[in-house]
Amino acid sequence: MSETFRFIHAADLHLGSFLNIKGNPSEEIKALCSEAVYSGFERVCNIATAHKVDFILICGDVYDSYLRSVRSNRFFINQCLRLSEVNIGVYVIYGNHDAASNKQELFDMPINVHILSSDSAEIFEVCKDNEIIAKIVGKSYKLRAEREKIYENYLLDNDCFNIAMLHTAMEGDNKNYVPCTLDELKAIPNIDYWALGHIHKTNILSNTRPIIAFSGIPQGRDMGEPGQGGVFYVEVCKKEIVNMEFLPIATIIYKKVEIIIGEENKIENFSDLTELILEKTREEPYVLPKGSNELVQAKQAINEEIKGYILQLVIKGRTELQDKITHMKEDDYKQFIEDINKEFSEEKYFLWVDSIIFRTAQLMQDFESMKMKNSIFGDLDEVINLYREEGEDRVQLVKNLGSIWKKQIFTENIDEDKFDFDEEIIEDIILQARELVIEKLAEALELI
Ligand SMILES: [Mn+2]
């Protein structure tokens, strides 16, 4: 009797897209960036074979565009043919990027590939040793937007392990991608595992039955998709999940690195600054984060296969170079980054600085002594702290920033006319405003 089976939950392959990288990297790095999305899926298939899984779920956006390119379609099929040789089934729903309004496939699909209908919720029974081990229910997007609560028709009996596949933005701003709440999903009876796609960040929304999880994008493609991408590996025995792991897939990782110019760093010119940046960047731990969930322990083995890191540096702190930094021209800035990138020698993997954000400030005399000299600085800090804490003042402040700022949660449908912001950016704005006020006050009071 087949009491145990294994599957992989993947989503958002976006075959046909490539990694964004700025500047002039070597031909070798450029080639890695244009191949990474494809080699990511190849790794998924290798891992599926190595782990002897019974099937793979792909929860939407197999292709980056509904107009499948010959290359991406052919690549997908070739990988699935490899899986077919070892009896691994592939279950696919199409998402907003590869919606199936009419027959889109350029080639015949291998027999192990099952594409769920875009007309109505479709159920597949997965058999092993002539026994049904699982049922898979789902529905592909017909058009680029799907506003219906399609999961309400995901109706299954409670006679085996039930998996529901859904491409959804959950409660996001945009109602075009199957809006739903966690409770609405939980209310659908008899589902053991909700395999979600669309949001490119790995996230387990429920870690008890039913498991509800986004596997995220296996290979991120820009700074908006940072960190180690991957897929979930799930082992089921007697209808119970006995093991669930996050398997890292990405071999090129986008990473934000914060560098703080401290009092101990003597930064007198750009040579010193370059030196500090190189030192701090090399010091960064380029390893996987620990699994954030008891169920999920990231496998460390991939570290051997990492090809490189694309970095965004955020420089903070006070420096006497502030004036020169502010007056850097576009060309100077490009040259500065280029010089840094030249210094990184490739060892096991490459390091590539994609951009540098300067959040530095001018040198100033010790703030504590300013407070002693004039109580206005203490008052100022009190007022500013009101905005740094969660509460009505902060909400009002964000409102006052104006509609030009919009929280862009997904890389889907970015509103190009708006500035993206998050808590970190708000904090930065507040602290920069604080700097400015202190500076002006100090000037007026002749403290500097
Ligand atoms: Mn996607």
Side-chain angles (χ1 to χ4, degrees):
M1 222 173 100
S2 305
E3 290 184 322
T4 302
F5 67 92
R6 305 164 185 89
F7 67 90
I8 278 176
H9 163 198
D12 301 280
L13 307 177
H14 287 270
L15 296 177
S17 63
F18 50 85
L19 274 56
N20 286 289
I21 186 162
K22 295 192 185 103
N24 282 312
S26 66
E27 289 303 317
E28 199 186 336
I29 294 179
K30 275 189 209 161
L32 284 171
C33 289
S34 60
E35 290 302 311
V37 165
Y38 290 102
S39 56
F41 182 52
E42 195 173 347
R43 279 178 54 76
V44 174
C45 297
N46 293 345
I47 287 175
T49 309
H51 280 69
K52 293 190 167 63
V53 305
D54 294 279
F55 55 92
I56 297 180
L57 310 168
I58 307 175
C59 302
D61 295 355
V62 174
Y63 308 104
D64 195 50
S65 165
Y66 75 100
L67 296 166
R68 291 105 170 90
S69 66
V70 169
R71 186 186 173 196
S72 55
N73 218 170
R74 176 44 67 201
F75 186 87
F76 180 70
I77 289 169
N78 286 346
Q79 294 306 315
C80 291
L81 280 170
R82 281 177 52 213
L83 297 173
S84 156
E85 284 165 18
V86 285
N87 284 322
I88 296 176
V90 182
Y91 296 86
V92 177
I93 53 169
Y94 286 140
N96 55 307
H97 272 263
D98 52 0
S101 52
N102 43 41
K103 253 196 154 330
Q104 299 283 357
E105 305 312 325
L106 300 174
F107 303 101
D108 292 338
M109 280 287 156
I111 48 162
N112 62 325
V113 178
H114 310 282
I115 295 165
L116 280 75
S117 166
S118 61
D119 293 322
S120 57
E122 189 173 9
I123 298 168
F124 276 95
E125 290 174 347
V126 188
C127 292
K128 192 176 180 180
D129 304 331
N130 295 322
E131 231 174 277
I132 298 171
I133 49 169
K135 279 185 198 158
I136 296 168
V137 64
K139 183 179 179 292
S140 288
Y141 278 36
K142 197 173 199 109
L143 300 166
R144 291 178 70 85
E146 177 59 85
R147 302 173 76 99
E148 299 296 313
K149 293 186 177 290
I150 52 177
Y151 53 88
E152 285 178 348
N153 298 317
Y154 285 10
L155 303 173
L156 292 169
D157 295 331
N158 187 25
D159 50 2
C160 67
F161 190 86
N162 290 326
I163 298 168
M165 296 171 77
L166 188 65
H167 196 75
T168 175
M170 301 291 292
E171 290 172 273
D173 273 1
N174 198 317
K175 303 289 175 225
N176 284 335
Y177 312 112
V178 191
C180 66
T181 65
L182 205 54
D183 286 338
E184 282 172 324
L185 295 187
K186 283 181 178 171
I188 306 293
N190 303 330
I191 304 290
D192 297 283
Y193 188 101
W194 282 92
L196 307 184
H198 185 68
I199 293 178
H200 289 180
K201 195 175 183 303
T202 307
N203 194 4
I204 298 177
L205 305 174
S206 160
N207 62 5
T208 54
R209 189 181 182 276
I211 298 284
I212 305 177
F214 281 100
S215 55
I217 193 163
Q219 171 63 63
R221 299 160 303 157
D222 54 43
M223 215 41 88
E225 296 169 353
Q228 174 65 62
V231 297
F232 285 121
Y233 165 79
V234 184
E235 217 173 307
V236 180
C237 180
K238 295 180 183 166
K239 284 187 72 186
E240 294 288 331
I241 293 178
V242 290
N243 185 22
M244 179 169 169
E245 283 175 44
F246 176 73
L247 302 180
I249 294 296
T251 48
I252 298 178
I253 296 172
Y254 287 87
K255 185 176 164 80
K256 210 187 227 184
V257 175
E258 197 176 271
I259 295 174
I260 295 168
I261 305 176
E263 274 173 30
E264 70 284 4
N265 309 116
K266 285 240 168 306
I267 308 291
E268 285 171 359
N269 53 30
F270 281 173
S271 298
D272 293 343
L273 184 59
T274 305
E275 216 35 65
L276 177 77
I277 289 174
L278 288 170
E279 183 195 319
K280 296 286 178 192
T281 308
R282 286 191 181 118
E283 257 173 25
E284 267 303 297
Y286 295 100
V287 291
L288 293 176
K290 289 257 181 323
S292 54
N293 190 286
E294 288 170 5
L295 273 173
V296 181
Q297 288 295 321
K299 281 254 157 66
Q300 295 291 323
I302 193 172
N303 281 337
E304 298 302 312
E305 295 181 53
I306 295 285
K307 300 276 193 286
Y309 291 84
I310 300 177
L311 309 169
Q312 181 183 72
L313 309 181
V314 182
I315 321 270
K316 292 183 174 175
R318 295 186 178 282
T319 167
E320 54 190 273
L321 288 183
Q322 182 59 20
D323 203 33
K324 295 194 177 65
I325 290 171
T326 324
H327 291 102
M328 253 181 168
K329 298 217 166 60
E330 184 73 25
D331 280 351
D332 298 335
Y333 171 78
K334 278 186 186 156
Q335 185 67 51
F336 186 71
I337 296 183
E338 205 176 306
D339 291 347
I340 289 171
N341 279 328
K342 274 191 196 134
E343 294 294 324
F344 290 126
S345 57
E346 280 173 44
E347 286 171 31
K348 269 166 76 184
Y349 43 76
F350 71 81
L351 294 180
W352 183 262
V353 175
D354 212 38
S355 62
I356 299 182
I357 297 175
F358 287 101
R359 298 231 165 96
T360 46
Q362 252 173 12
L363 284 181
M364 205 185 294
Q365 81 177 83
D366 179 29
F367 187 65
E368 286 308 310
S369 68
M370 282 186 183
K371 272 192 193 171
M372 301 281 280
K373 283 182 193 152
N374 196 315
S375 63
I376 195 166
F377 293 103
D379 299 342
L380 175 73
D381 248 2
E382 261 179 49
V383 173
I384 283 170
N385 285 337
L386 286 177
Y387 296 103
R388 294 181 68 188
E389 291 156 12
E390 266 180 56
E392 199 39 54
D393 292 312
R394 192 185 174 92
V395 172
Q396 203 51 47
L397 172 81
V398 172
K399 266 191 197 155
N400 289 345
L401 288 175
S403 56
I404 188 77
W405 294 89
K406 185 183 176 199
K407 196 168 190 164
Q408 315 246 23
I409 306 167
F410 315 115
T411 41
E412 302 288 331
N413 297 77
I414 286 217
D415 206 336
E416 303 278 355
D417 302 333
K418 311 262 177 174
F419 293 130
D420 185 16
F421 78 89
D422 54 20
E423 293 304 311
E424 202 186 327
I425 291 176
I426 297 172
E427 175 78 1
D428 264 334
I429 292 173
I430 295 172
L431 291 181
Q432 282 184 45
R434 175 181 181 271
E435 287 299 323
L436 209 61
V437 177
I438 294 173
E439 220 175 282
K440 295 288 169 202
L441 273 175
E443 243 174 63
L445 298 166
E446 290 176 355
L447 291 176
I448 50 173

mmCIF file of all heavy atoms in Angstrom, residues 12 14 60-61 96-97 167 198 200 412, ligand 1:
data_model
loop_
_atom_site.group_PDB
_atom_site.id
_atom_site.type_symbol
_atom_site.label_atom_id
_atom_site.label_comp_id
_atom_site.label_asym_id
_atom_site.label_seq_id
_atom_site.Cartn_x
_atom_site.Cartn_y
_atom_site.Cartn_z
ATOM 1 N N ASP A 12 5.562 30.473 -10.101
ATOM 2 C CA ASP A 12 6.224 31.657 -10.647
ATOM 3 C C ASP A 12 7.626 31.410 -11.220
ATOM 4 O O ASP A 12 8.592 32.058 -10.837
ATOM 5 C CB ASP A 12 6.278 32.756 -9.573
ATOM 6 C CG ASP A 12 4.888 33.146 -9.102
ATOM 7 O OD1 ASP A 12 4.223 33.926 -9.817
ATOM 8 O OD2 ASP A 12 4.432 32.622 -8.052
ATOM 9 N N HIS A 14 8.404 31.981 -14.320
ATOM 10 C CA HIS A 14 8.652 33.100 -15.241
ATOM 11 C C HIS A 14 9.701 32.776 -16.289
ATOM 12 O O HIS A 14 10.622 33.565 -16.534
ATOM 13 C CB HIS A 14 9.016 34.374 -14.461
ATOM 14 C CG HIS A 14 7.827 34.973 -13.762
ATOM 15 N ND1 HIS A 14 7.012 35.918 -14.351
ATOM 16 C CD2 HIS A 14 7.285 34.719 -12.554
ATOM 17 C CE1 HIS A 14 6.033 36.236 -13.519
ATOM 18 N NE2 HIS A 14 6.169 35.510 -12.417
ATOM 19 N N GLY A 60 1.112 28.617 -11.280
ATOM 20 C CA GLY A 60 0.939 29.811 -12.099
ATOM 21 C C GLY A 60 2.228 30.499 -12.487
ATOM 22 O O GLY A 60 3.255 30.358 -11.838
ATOM 23 N N ASP A 61 2.165 31.243 -13.613
ATOM 24 C CA ASP A 61 3.311 31.959 -14.166
ATOM 25 C C ASP A 61 4.489 31.039 -14.476
ATOM 26 O O ASP A 61 5.625 31.298 -14.078
ATOM 27 C CB ASP A 61 3.743 33.117 -13.248
ATOM 28 C CG ASP A 61 2.696 34.221 -13.127
ATOM 29 O OD1 ASP A 61 1.663 34.132 -13.828
ATOM 30 O OD2 ASP A 61 2.906 35.164 -12.352
ATOM 31 N N ASN A 96 -1.622 34.994 -14.047
ATOM 32 C CA ASN A 96 -1.895 36.209 -14.812
ATOM 33 C C ASN A 96 -0.872 36.455 -15.910
ATOM 34 O O ASN A 96 -1.172 37.075 -16.916
ATOM 35 C CB ASN A 96 -1.984 37.422 -13.878
ATOM 36 C CG ASN A 96 -0.753 37.582 -13.025
ATOM 37 O OD1 ASN A 96 -0.335 36.650 -12.338
ATOM 38 N ND2 ASN A 96 -0.140 38.747 -13.072
ATOM 39 N N HIS A 97 0.344 35.931 -15.733
ATOM 40 C CA HIS A 97 1.367 36.144 -16.766
ATOM 41 C C HIS A 97 1.217 35.214 -17.959
ATOM 42 O O HIS A 97 1.656 35.537 -19.041
ATOM 43 C CB HIS A 97 2.773 35.983 -16.168
ATOM 44 C CG HIS A 97 3.302 37.246 -15.595
ATOM 45 N ND1 HIS A 97 4.142 38.086 -16.285
ATOM 46 C CD2 HIS A 97 3.073 37.838 -14.412
ATOM 47 C CE1 HIS A 97 4.426 39.124 -15.548
ATOM 48 N NE2 HIS A 97 3.787 39.009 -14.398
ATOM 49 N N HIS A 167 -3.650 30.737 -7.748
ATOM 50 C CA HIS A 167 -2.780 31.868 -8.061
ATOM 51 C C HIS A 167 -3.497 33.117 -7.542
ATOM 52 O O HIS A 167 -4.488 33.549 -8.109
ATOM 53 C CB HIS A 167 -2.598 31.940 -9.580
ATOM 54 C CG HIS A 167 -1.448 32.794 -10.019
ATOM 55 N ND1 HIS A 167 -0.129 32.384 -9.909
ATOM 56 C CD2 HIS A 167 -1.403 34.035 -10.564
ATOM 57 C CE1 HIS A 167 0.665 33.338 -10.379
ATOM 58 N NE2 HIS A 167 -0.078 34.353 -10.774
ATOM 59 N N HIS A 198 1.819 33.451 -7.089
ATOM 60 C CA HIS A 198 1.618 34.851 -7.461
ATOM 61 C C HIS A 198 2.516 35.790 -6.652
ATOM 62 O O HIS A 198 3.144 36.669 -7.213
ATOM 63 C CB HIS A 198 0.167 35.324 -7.321
ATOM 64 C CG HIS A 198 -0.029 36.738 -7.818
ATOM 65 N ND1 HIS A 198 0.076 37.054 -9.148
ATOM 66 C CD2 HIS A 198 -0.267 37.904 -7.179
ATOM 67 C CE1 HIS A 198 -0.125 38.371 -9.300
ATOM 68 N NE2 HIS A 198 -0.323 38.895 -8.124
ATOM 69 N N HIS A 200 5.757 36.687 -4.915
ATOM 70 C CA HIS A 200 7.080 36.121 -5.208
ATOM 71 C C HIS A 200 7.940 35.885 -3.978
ATOM 72 O O HIS A 200 9.120 35.598 -4.085
ATOM 73 C CB HIS A 200 7.803 37.015 -6.231
ATOM 74 C CG HIS A 200 7.197 36.927 -7.608
ATOM 75 N ND1 HIS A 200 7.659 37.621 -8.693
ATOM 76 C CD2 HIS A 200 6.145 36.189 -8.063
ATOM 77 C CE1 HIS A 200 6.929 37.325 -9.766
ATOM 78 N NE2 HIS A 200 5.994 36.472 -9.398
ATOM 79 N N GLU A 412 4.225 42.868 -9.396
ATOM 80 C CA GLU A 412 3.185 42.888 -10.424
ATOM 81 C C GLU A 412 2.564 44.287 -10.441
ATOM 82 O O GLU A 412 2.381 44.884 -9.407
ATOM 83 C CB GLU A 412 2.057 41.912 -10.061
ATOM 84 C CG GLU A 412 2.477 40.484 -9.884
ATOM 85 C CD GLU A 412 2.820 39.816 -11.190
ATOM 86 O OE1 GLU A 412 2.244 40.206 -12.216
ATOM 87 O OE2 GLU A 412 3.677 38.930 -11.179
HETATM 88 MN MN MN B 1 4.388 35.689 -10.868
#
